[in-house]
Amino acid sequence: MRFTKPSWVSHKGRTPMHARAPIAAALLTPSPDANQKRVSIFSIHVHPDGSRLATGGLDAKVRIWSTLPILRSEAEDSPKSLCTLGMHSGPVLTVRWSHSGKWLASGSDDTIIMIWDLDPTGGGKVWGSDETNIEGWKALRRLPGHESDVTDLAWSPGDRYLASVGLDSRVIVWCGYSLNLLRRLDLHQGFVKGVCWDPVGQFLATQSDDKSVKIWRTDDWGVEATITKPFEDSPGSTFFRRLSWSPDGAHITASNAMNNNGYVFVAAVISRQTWASDISLVGHENTVEVAAYNPHIFLRRPKDPITTSNICSVVALGSDDLTVSVWQTKSARPLIVAKDVFERAILDLGWSFDGLTLYACSSDGTIGVFDFDQEEMEGIAPRSAQVEYLKMFNFTPAPMPTPLLERVSQARTPPPSPPHFSSSTPVSLAAPPTYPPQSVTVAKNGKRRIKPLFISHLSYGPLPSASAAPSAAPPLFGSISMFAPNEDHHHAELDMTVPITALNGGGDDRKAEKRKAEEDEAGSSWPGRPTKARTLGGDRVRESVNQVKELRSRVSAVGFPPAPNHPSTAIAIDIPSIKSYLCSALEEKDGDLFEARNPEVGEDPTEVMFISAKQTQFLDYLPAAAILLTCTSVFCAVAMEDASIIVYSLNGRRIMPTLMLDAPSAYLEGSKHFLMTITSSARVYVWNIKSQKAAFPSVHLDPFIRAPSSILSAQIRPNGAPLILLSSGVAYSFDPALSTWVRISEARWSEGSDAWEGKHRTNKNSSSRGVISTLESALSDLNMDSDSAANVIKYRWWNAALTLGHLETKLHAAKVLDSPTEYRAALLSYAKKIAEEGFKGKAEELLKDLCGPLYWKPSKDEQVWCPTVLGLQKRDLLKEVSSIFAKSKTLAKLGQGWQDTLRKAALDEF
């Protein structure tokens, strides 16, 4: 066995935000000025032909690598990185190749699943970086459906189904052919962190933080069994609970199991016959995160026939103890134990299709490769032996719907994957393409004009014929296409919300179609009027996005130089780069997009358009390049390079005058009818679009963002409150009633507060978590590498002071951010802590504030007491608080007295 750790396989990106708290993806916007470093790799999977390796990491990228320089030292100089895919907006937690090898599925904590397809005409230089894509992979389909992080994916045998699981506690089954959503399974009561298919196709298995493994039937999607015994004492703090089904269909090996009342970390082996776990793989010193079976069955006695008694399997385990172990089920001891090969937890494992290579990835940002010799894998059986053996289960899957069968049989064949290679077959990958020089001219106004150079079919030669089917694909799957029968391939409109297609030679044709459509539209409106209702730009052919290009690099705040077009304004925050294409999705309605297209060359204007139900609702031309977009159910807004903002209704009306700012925008966020921008000069503006008024006068962030502190995220709440998180571990909001910035939360509370919610992931559904809880998760993990908490001197009243201070701050924060649920929870926790400590003075003040006056009316000069807070009745809260005090030892008399007072008040005895 040979072990290698290719250092060039890595993901490099920003300081971890989403991995610090996966649910923080809904709250935090990545900062443009974070540090570049090696970041965690969450998932790894090898292509069925063994030629490629896919990884997903904290940098929100899917990366595809060549395995040739990994497995063969003489190929060290061959291309290594084949392609980088960047459509996800959050860390990529799982990547899985289909069994045919034609599609790659990826899941992210942005809640989206992406399906990628090989683009024979793709590849080439990646704009804005020094990378070159040897291969081109395009986004074939975007699958929204989860409400939180997508933690694991699995393709069923024959790619009939794709199963996905996530932190919304859901299991979703998608059609593996049409990629439509088939079924949602909602019976788990905690985060679902692992999924695998029965190789027979009869069952689906999922593992959750509710400390159970559920077995689902594929004929009616009911629950066949729920296994809980080996997981009753398992911790809930692991990133994943990845389980695996043995290739003979006889067992499931599940991670994160415990023996001896939680004192022994094991992997549980669940029998298919009884759905019981009587066997455990013991030896790891910390939680097992992932289990992965070798795809081949093994024979105990290679010369004997293939029978149930002569079959065994090989399974690999990855653990938080930094160890990888490989077991053969015929032995009570592991085949190998690789210790200290990683510096942090192992998060995913993947076997090559030939069963001789094991790939592992770790949160330390590295991968490890275990390459076995044929002799070391004694008894390995050919793939055909497994196929024959599985026939003994006599399971026949339900027939496909007739319309789908017709569509599959008549559709075009997608381009095939590159050919299979083995250790004995030399393989050569295309060298990075070279480009001839481009023509550069200088206009009268001093602007440089670069004449675009058309490049077609780089490094790939002619396109494959439509009848060429990939050798690795089953006959049925080999003829599947996303195009309907009898549609022309180049003009078919795909049923997906991310319009990405391959680079081809039709660029000039598409421009001609665009001009012709615009001319036809102009001609139809003159001299008469349109004969039917229409939308501005709705008749124009919409162009697909081939590649997003960086037209101008971001302007850095280092040294505080003057802002472009604003020489008197210093830059405190980086100005975003100008890209050829920008897009903002409407969260309330899937598929609705607000787009901007900046021209690459020439005098063409910048275009913005709003797309709903694949129909252009409006189109407009801008006087300057667009740098930021946002849209809500009320409005769309675009920030431009000239420091202006235009606000549209969803039908394209300019519902506010063009807003002129002191500097270009660095952040642009919208929520309901509120719009917020932070300019590069660090000034914050918030407007109520409905009332067309400023929520408060613009305020400056300068005191907070001086080096080394910087903005990590910016958000606007539905009530118009800005929420800004800094790298110093403090979150701020502006309170118009106080006319000042207020601290919403800070990481220092985690050093001693018992009420701090961000120390670990909880089993609570992420969709029901409040803004403050989500923020605390991000703050806690932002400070997770710091040793400050361990070095704090614990004074006598340290714990009580920090807990009470934290809860009092949280009560004020809930009011500023309009979070009534979190206000009530913090109030009750605050009352319990006061009762626990016996602080009578604080208890009396709290009770009086909630009760208010009983029998007198205030004069005009006195402040009027408000009976509600955030829509909650204060005296209803008083009942709950007084009940808590009445049950305590030190404050029982006080609590009972106030309960009597409330009863008298209800009977009008005052």
Side-chain angles (χ1 to χ4, degrees), residues 298-472:
F298 287 74
L299 302 181
R300 298 173 184 266
R301 298 171 298 280
K303 296 183 180 180
D304 291 354
I306 300 175
T307 60
T308 302
S309 60
N310 193 32
I311 285 179
C312 62
S313 303
V314 170
V315 63
L317 304 178
S319 169
D320 287 350
D321 63 1
L322 320 184
T323 300
V324 175
S325 61
V326 180
W327 306 69
Q328 195 164 29
T329 53
K330 69 179 182 180
S331 173
R333 300 179 64 84
L335 293 176
I336 66 164
V337 177
K339 294 185 176 181
D340 301 324
V341 293
F342 294 101
E343 296 178 0
R344 298 183 69 177
I346 290 86
L347 300 182
D348 203 7
L349 299 169
W351 287 91
S352 62
F353 187 75
D354 61 8
L356 297 179
T357 309
L358 173 65
Y359 296 85
C361 68
S362 167
S363 59
D364 65 8
T366 64
I367 74 163
V369 184
F370 302 83
D371 193 20
F372 296 89
D373 293 327
Q374 187 82 26
E375 296 75 19
E376 294 173 305
M377 288 293 177
E378 181 183 5
I380 188 169
R383 171 69 177 171
S384 58
Q386 180 196 15
V387 174
E388 289 299 320
Y389 179 79
L390 294 179
K391 291 180 180 178
M392 63 171 283
F393 289 92
N394 295 321
F395 175 74
T396 302
M400 294 169 54
T402 303
L404 183 57
L405 279 171
E406 294 174 354
R407 179 171 179 150
V408 168
S409 63
Q410 299 179 27
R412 294 178 180 268
T413 303
S417 299
H420 168 80
F421 80 93
S422 64
S423 58
S424 60
T425 305
V427 176
S428 61
L429 293 171
T434 58
Y435 305 96
Q438 292 182 318
S439 173
V440 181
T441 60
V442 180
K444 293 181 180 180
N445 57 5
K447 293 185 177 180
R448 298 171 68 247
R449 304 295 184 192
I450 302 176
K451 183 178 180 180
L453 180 67
F454 179 71
I455 300 172
S456 177
H457 310 320
L458 283 176
S459 305
Y460 284 97
L463 286 171
S465 64
S467 61
S471 59

Side-chain angles (χ1 to χ4, degrees), residues 486-616:
N486 304 322
E487 288 182 332
D488 183 82
H489 181 89
H490 294 290
H491 298 89
E493 182 178 359
L494 298 184
D495 180 19
M496 59 181 177
T497 56
V498 181
I500 297 180
T501 57
L503 279 170
N504 55 43
D508 295 335
D509 295 338
R510 286 195 303 274
K511 289 184 178 179
E513 289 176 6
K514 173 185 173 183
R515 293 193 196 100
K516 184 177 184 302
E518 291 175 339
E519 292 169 359
D520 292 343
E521 180 181 349
S524 66
S525 60
W526 182 263
R529 295 183 178 181
T531 58
K532 61 180 181 179
R534 58 180 182 169
T535 60
L536 179 61
D539 298 333
R540 197 187 74 174
V541 177
R542 182 187 174 206
E543 289 183 320
S544 60
V545 179
N546 293 329
Q547 190 175 20
V548 178
K549 303 177 181 179
E550 188 176 65
L551 307 180
R552 191 210 70 195
S553 301
R554 67 179 180 178
V555 179
S556 175
V558 177
F560 294 92
N565 305 323
H566 295 266
S568 62
T569 305
I571 299 178
I573 307 172
D574 288 3
I575 302 175
S577 62
I578 296 179
K579 295 182 172 60
S580 60
Y581 175 79
L582 299 114
C583 178
S584 176
L586 184 64
E587 294 183 359
E588 292 85 350
K589 189 174 180 182
D590 185 60
D592 286 9
L593 302 173
F594 184 42
E595 298 180 342
R597 298 170 188 257
N598 291 310
E600 298 176 24
V601 293
E603 300 297 335
D604 293 342
T606 294
E607 299 178 358
V608 291
M609 63 188 72
F610 181 68
I611 313 297
S612 180
K614 300 182 182 179
Q615 174 72 29
T616 301

Side-chain angles (χ1 to χ4, degrees), residues 39 50 167 275 304 361 364 466 550 698 819 836-837 846 863:
V39 296
L167 299 191
W275 303 123
D304 291 354
C361 68
D364 65 8
E550 188 176 65
S698 64
S819 181
E836 178 186 331
E837 298 291 343
L846 178 61
Q863 183 179 2

Side-chain angles (χ1 to χ4, degrees), residues 835-906:
E836 178 186 331
E837 298 291 343
F839 296 146
K840 184 176 180 181
K842 288 181 179 287
E844 288 178 336
E845 283 186 3
L846 178 61
L847 292 168
K848 289 178 181 178
D849 180 63
L850 293 174
C851 181
L854 292 172
Y855 55 88
W856 59 273
K857 296 182 179 180
S859 64
K860 293 182 179 180
D861 297 332
E862 292 178 306
Q863 183 179 2
V864 178
W865 176 76
C866 181
T868 63
V869 55
L870 297 176
L872 304 172
Q873 292 292 329
K874 286 186 177 180
R875 289 186 180 174
D876 290 342
L877 297 174
L878 176 61
K879 292 179 183 178
E880 297 183 82
V881 171
S882 60
S883 176
I884 292 173
F885 291 157
K887 295 176 183 178
S888 71
K889 295 180 180 179
T890 55
L891 303 179
K893 185 176 180 181
L894 177 65
Q896 291 166 1
W898 276 95
Q899 287 179 327
D900 292 340
T901 300
L902 279 174
R903 282 193 291 268
K904 291 178 181 179

Side-chain angles (χ1 to χ4, degrees), residues 674-695:
F674 282 96
L675 171 66
M676 179 190 72
T677 186
I678 303 177
T679 66
S680 58
S681 63
R683 186 167 289 275
V684 181
Y685 298 81
V686 176
W687 299 277
N688 185 326
I689 304 302
K690 187 175 182 180
S691 65
Q692 298 195 14
K693 294 181 180 180

Side-chain angles (χ1 to χ4, degrees), residues 632 634-637 645-649 653-657 659 669-676 686-695:
T632 73
V634 177
F635 66 88
C636 302
I645 294 177
I646 299 178
V647 183
Y648 303 92
S649 71
R653 292 176 53 244
R654 297 195 182 205
I655 52 179
M656 292 185 72
L659 306 172
E669 297 291 331
S671 180
K672 301 298 183 182
H673 51 268
F674 282 96
L675 171 66
M676 179 190 72
V686 176
W687 299 277
N688 185 326
I689 304 302
K690 187 175 182 180
S691 65
Q692 298 195 14
K693 294 181 180 180

